[in-house]
Amino acid sequence: PWPAVEQASGEIEFDRLEMRLGGLKGRLWGYELRDVQGGITDLSARDPVLTLQGQGGGPAADLLRFARQASVSPRVGAALEPVHITGPSALKLSARIPLAPDQPNTLQASVQLAGNDLRLQPDVPALLGARGSIEFGPQGLAVRGVTGRWLGGDASFDGSIGNDGALRVGAMGVASADALRQWTPLARFAAPLRGQAAWRGTLNAVDGRSDLLLQSNLGGMPIDLPPPLAKPAASSLPSCAAKARRAAS
């Protein structure tokens, strides 16, 4: 069930068999909903449907809490459990709510991030100052072109959580050796590295299992080891991969 909207106010107008809603506003925990419009086209219909469109603003954490509860699939809600986000957000939404029993609600929402800190997994560093949009709908959740700071450099993320509960993320950016050493799974790998380098990576997680893969040619990042293992910053390697895996608990 969807949580109740509190402090709701607005206008309701009946015109024969049509009900129109206008200027609705209210609060969902700490999140402010406003400019909500909608109604029911035909109250006498066999299966009447309430439609709503609106916008809002407030803590992104409250929207994440709502998404866990309102997900069309329990597996999407479960996949969102380890996600953590801080900071404000802006929302645009539309909803289709059948009033007949045993018919699912449909929600489409677009969330705009404006400098949030976003952590997808407890043991994965947070994306700092995240900017971009997150789309939520019947097919699950999608992240498109979200940018921020990750592993000490600029990064861009695209990904999704489907109705199967699988998290799939692709990313690219620049990482610093100092930031890599602060992340426990990569600390030994990064110990002889200096400077920074471009990388590409993927994160796949489902049912408590996750696999993270980072790849880089380490161009621009010297390796401080005795010859023949040393590498100057100007040279590149054919490919270098670092993996982190977490089994289901």
Side-chain angles (χ1 to χ4, degrees):
W2 288 9
V5 175
E6 300 177 338
Q7 302 176 25
S9 64
E11 297 179 354
I12 302 178
E13 179 183 350
F14 291 91
D15 183 0
R16 298 181 182 179
L17 295 177
E18 181 181 4
M19 182 184 76
R20 292 191 288 266
L21 307 176
L24 299 182
K25 61 182 179 179
R27 300 190 71 85
L28 183 66
W29 302 303
Y31 212 89
E32 178 188 357
L33 303 174
R34 62 183 184 275
D35 301 327
V36 179
Q37 316 287 332
I40 300 173
T41 302
D42 187 354
L43 292 166
S44 68
R46 180 177 179 179
D47 297 316
V49 175
L50 171 64
T51 60
L52 297 170
Q53 303 84 37
Q55 57 184 313
D62 284 344
L63 281 187
L64 176 60
R65 180 182 173 188
F66 174 75
R68 290 174 180 141
Q69 297 186 23
S71 297
V72 293
S73 165
R75 300 193 72 179
V76 174
L80 290 172
E81 282 299 326
V83 177
H84 180 77
I85 190 168
T86 64
S89 63
L91 168 71
K92 291 184 178 180
L93 64 87
S94 64
R96 184 179 185 276
I97 306 172
L99 302 186
D102 302 324
Q103 293 194 32
N105 300 332
T106 302
L107 176 69
Q108 296 275 2
S110 176
V111 181
Q112 195 68 29
L113 304 180
N116 305 70
D117 290 348
L118 173 64
R119 188 185 300 272
L120 297 177
Q121 297 278 300
D123 50 357
V124 174
L127 178 65
L128 305 178
R131 294 182 179 274
S133 64
I134 300 175
E135 309 293 328
F136 184 83
Q139 303 305 316
L141 182 147
V143 173
R144 297 285 181 260
V146 170
T147 62
R149 299 280 296 178
W150 196 67
L151 294 180
D154 293 334
S156 174
F157 285 70
D158 293 279
S160 65
I161 298 177
N163 286 334
D164 58 357
L167 169 68
R168 302 174 179 90
V169 176
M172 60 185 297
V174 175
S176 73
D178 288 342
L180 291 173
R181 282 191 288 273
Q182 294 173 22
W183 188 12
T184 301
L186 299 183
R188 289 186 62 187
F189 165 80
L193 303 181
R194 303 291 181 267
Q196 60 183 20
W199 58 269
R200 290 180 177 271
T202 58
L203 171 64
N204 295 287
V206 65
D207 296 334
R209 305 183 307 273
S210 66
D211 288 284
L212 176 71
L213 173 65
L214 298 179
Q215 294 178 299
S216 174
N217 62 13
L218 300 185
M221 185 175 280
I223 300 178
D224 188 11
L225 287 173
L229 301 179
K231 183 189 82 68
S235 67
S236 300
L237 300 178
S239 180
C240 185
K243 298 180 180 180
R245 173 169 293 177
R246 185 181 65 180
S249 57

